[in-house]
Amino acid sequence: IGIAPVKDHNLSRASMTLKNWYGLLGGPRNRLHQKLDDTIATLAGMVKPTLSVLDGTRVLISNGPTGGSPDDVVDGNVVAMSTDGVALDAFGTQLLDLEPADLIYLSLADERGFGTAEWTALETREVRV
């Protein structure tokens, strides 16, 4: 099970479930920043959790990944889950005022068959608490 917050990211535009797997790489992973979108898309094909959870209860909407101030955080009031990390991140783009097409790594992962960026085409269920 993978759990990740929704954050703005200065290099990939967003950090959600797929970008979160980047942390598994360890070592001098900064060398991969020149091909960050390709790396994230590749991880989507390599890391296949049983379930991914997107924590959008509080969303870092700018100055990520480090965050500039509490003013950069807004209430998102959403927790979403899926077995398709690509679809989950595509859903999460709306919490950052983005579209799935705004994230290159989502398009790459979708093209490679690692999931679908067309999350609205999937069967969904909403639970309000």
Side-chain angles (χ1 to χ4, degrees):
I1 297 174
I3 303 172
V6 179
K7 300 184 290 187
D8 170 74
H9 195 282
N10 66 333
L11 297 177
S12 60
R13 299 206 56 195
S15 179
M16 295 182 277
T17 63
L18 300 181
K19 168 69 173 70
N20 200 50
W21 298 119
Y22 195 77
L24 291 174
L25 300 175
R29 61 183 187 250
N30 63 322
R31 290 191 220 162
L32 298 171
H33 282 164
Q34 291 74 20
K35 294 187 176 187
L36 186 58
D37 290 306
D38 184 63
T39 301
I40 296 169
T42 299
L43 285 169
M46 295 174 62
V47 181
K48 293 290 193 181
T50 304
L51 182 69
S52 291
V53 179
L54 188 62
D55 180 355
T57 55
R58 306 270 296 150
V59 178
L60 180 65
I61 58 167
S62 60
N63 297 309
T66 58
S69 75
D71 293 337
D72 297 329
V73 179
V74 299
D75 289 327
N77 299 317
V78 172
V79 174
M81 295 173 268
S82 181
T83 57
D84 183 335
V86 177
L88 191 56
D89 280 12
F91 166 82
T93 60
Q94 63 190 328
L95 298 172
L96 292 166
D97 239 358
L98 299 170
E99 297 291 329
D102 294 328
L103 302 183
I104 296 168
Y105 67 84
L106 284 181
S107 297
L108 292 171
D110 184 276
E111 289 169 10
R112 294 174 186 174
F114 300 147
T116 181
E118 296 292 328
W119 72 271
T120 56
L122 300 176
E123 182 179 336
T124 61
R125 191 170 106 188
E126 182 176 337
V127 177
R128 293 186 182 261
V129 291

